[in-house]
Structures are given as C-alpha cells and as structure tokens.
Amino acid sequence: MKTANRRFLLAFLLVALVVAGVLSYYASGDPDGLTKVAEDKGFAAQEKEHALSDSPVSDYGVKGVENERLSGGLAGVLGVGLTAAVGGGLFWLVHRRDGRDEKAPAGASAER
Amino acid sequence: MHVPDGFFDAPVSVGAGVVAAAGIAVCLRGARRELDDRTAPLAGLSAAFVFAAQMINFPVAAGTSGHLMGGALAAILVGPYAGVLCISVVLLVQMLFADGGVTAYGINVTLMALTGVLVGYGVFRLVTRLWPASAPRRTGVTVGSFLGALASVPASALVFVALFALGGTADLPLGAVLTAMLGVHVLIGIGEGVITALTVGTVAAVRPDLVHGLRGQAAPLEIRTPEPAEA
C-alpha cells in the first residue's frame, strides 16, 4: 500500500511537471475571459501595474533565460515545485494524526 | 479570471479580504477532518496540479481564452475544506508570477477558491446524491464532476459582477458586463468541466480509495478477510 501510494503520487507530480514545464508552451496567448471582457467593456485601463511585476518569474518566464520555451518551462516547473512545497507543508501541518478513525473528534489533541 | 490590482475600490478589496481570511480560517479547521496521512500528500500535489493546469489557456471564442480554476477539481479529490486551501495556495504562489493582484488576493480567493468550491462541490454532491443506485457510481462521480465544474465558473463570474456593482472602479452598464462575463465564462466552464471530469475520472479509476468525492455516500462494501500468509 505504501509503495502503491508513493508510485501514484510520483506519477501525479510528474503529470503536473510535464503540463507546466512542457505543454504550457502550447497554451493560447489570447487574453482570458475576464481580461477580454475588461477590454471590450472598457475597464481594462483601471488595471494597476502588479506590485511584483519585476519578480524574477513574472508573467511565467524566468528572467535572464532567453529561450522562450526554456524560460516558460522553467517557470512552470518552479511554480509546481513551490506550490507542492507550500501546499504539502500546509497540509502536513493541518492533517489528522490519529490514524484511520474517520470519526475521531477534530481538535481533540493538544499537539501541534 | 485572475483579478488584477485596480479593478475594485478599497472597501470591496478589504471586505473580500476579510471574507477570504474567515473562509481560510474555517477551512484550516475543517481540513483536519478531511486529511489523514495518506491524503495529505495528495492535497499538496492537487494544488501543484491545479497550478500546472492553470498555465494551459485554451481558446474559447474568437480571440479569447480561458483556463481551469480548479475549485471543483480540488474539492472532489481532497474535500471542500482542503480544496479551498489548495486554490488559495495556488493563488498565493501565482502572485510571485505577477498573476492576480496583491490587493486583489481576497477577491480572487473569494471568486475562485470559495465560490468555485461551494458551487462546484455543491453541484457535484447534488448530482451524485440523485444518481440512481443502479447505475455505476464512478460514472455518477464523473458526470457530477463535469456539471459541478461547469457550474462553478459562471458562478464565479456572477460574484465578480456583484462585487463590481458594489465597488468596481469603473462606472459601467452592469447588464452589459454581466452578459459578457456570463457568456464567455459558460464557455470556459465547459473546458473546466472536461478537464475536471477527465482528472477525477482517471484518479477514481486508478485509486478510488483516495478520492474524497467517492467517500461518504453509500459507502461501497469492502471485502475484509484476515491477511493470508503469502510471501
């Protein structure tokens, strides 16, 4: 069971990495639904510049990497890794530690 | 659907921030009941998968694209409380990529995490409850995933317009904004439904024991035999 779990999770992670690292290159470059409506209806100009528009990975590209495919792919892989790390850490902190009993009272234990 | 900075005035941004914070707090407590040693890693990876899938903008109409929001998907896989947290984490990481405004974080959590999960998971539960017991349960879960995800996207668009009516920074005929938002987001919702049904269907086929949406309702009978002594 343990091994099957690990294998499944690895496969799931691999799919996410391939989607973000490789397939994202083929994503549509057209504005998304909200952006398009904002342009058509005339409130797109209200948009303010993003506070992190200078970030090394802004707009899903890694700054300094010239090759577009590589830059976007790296940004995707970084994003997946970061999300898995933050999400994994968070869910590890909040998850139930009392084994398999589904009906165990939540918050009964004082441990963190 | 990522709302940038500047679309909403301060009161609505702050108000949505309060709603988002309260929602996340409730979900931090609720997720404890949903996640155990086995499913906690799946929840983390579901967030990563939603991040990845959101990079794939698909064309929906002339010159317009859309991408997964993922609230329904995450909620069906790991539970509604954990699902809200998944999308909130994704939105947080996306800010580093300059996607979704910083002052608009509360709005984006309200639209994509809270509304997406409430409507997406709500419709999913409704469909799976009404699903006839004689029909295959996994088909019910797939159909419910499609319809729940499909409904969640125009629902988020609707909440966007409601918030825009409260405190949008442009004075616009709201009827026209509503029609435009709903029209394009119904189309995006179909894409959301397809991706969600495919993903949930695949996980349900490979590891039904891990899918939260397969639990609860009419729990399947388990064959339990004492472990035979095998090598």
Side-chain angles (χ1 to χ4, degrees), chain A residues 2-99:
Chain A
K2 269 257 147 89
T3 332
N5 219 20
R6 201 167 301 149
R7 205 178 306 147
F8 170 79
L9 293 171
L10 272 175
F12 199 38
L13 177 64
L14 195 67
V15 171
L17 286 171
V18 168
V19 169
V22 181
L23 299 183
S24 63
Y25 182 74
Y26 302 97
S28 164
D30 286 333
D32 87 342
L34 174 60
T35 312
K36 178 76 170 144
V37 172
E39 285 169 4
D40 288 352
K41 299 295 160 200
F43 59 98
Q46 297 301 115
E47 177 171 347
K48 293 214 178 82
E49 197 183 349
H50 199 282
L52 298 169
S53 57
D54 285 336
S55 104
V57 289
S58 65
D59 296 321
Y60 300 94
V62 175
K63 217 150 258 172
V65 179
E66 298 300 323
N67 184 307
E68 217 178 296
R69 189 186 285 263
L70 193 63
S71 178
L74 272 178
V77 168
L78 281 172
V80 166
L82 196 57
T83 311
V86 174
L90 174 74
F91 291 122
W92 191 253
L93 281 176
V94 301
H95 88 288
R96 201 156 26 88
R97 279 147 214 279
D98 42 20

Side-chain angles (χ1 to χ4, degrees), chain B residues 134-150:
Chain B
S134 54
R137 231 160 70 85
R138 224 157 62 202
T139 313
V141 166
T142 305
V143 172
S145 300
F146 175 77
L147 293 175
L150 168 52

Side-chain angles (χ1 to χ4, degrees), chain B residues 2 50-57 67-70 90 94 112:
Chain B
H2 292 73
V50 169
F51 179 93
Q54 287 202 356
M55 288 183 76
I56 309 287
N57 278 61
H67 62 71
L68 184 82
M69 298 202 307
V90 169
Q94 282 170 336
M112 284 186 265

Side-chain angles (χ1 to χ4, degrees), chain B residues 30 32-33 48 105 127-128 141 152 157-158 197 200 228:
Chain B
R32 187 180 162 78
R33 264 173 283 134
Y105 181 69
V127 172
T128 49
V141 166
S152 70
L158 194 66
V200 172

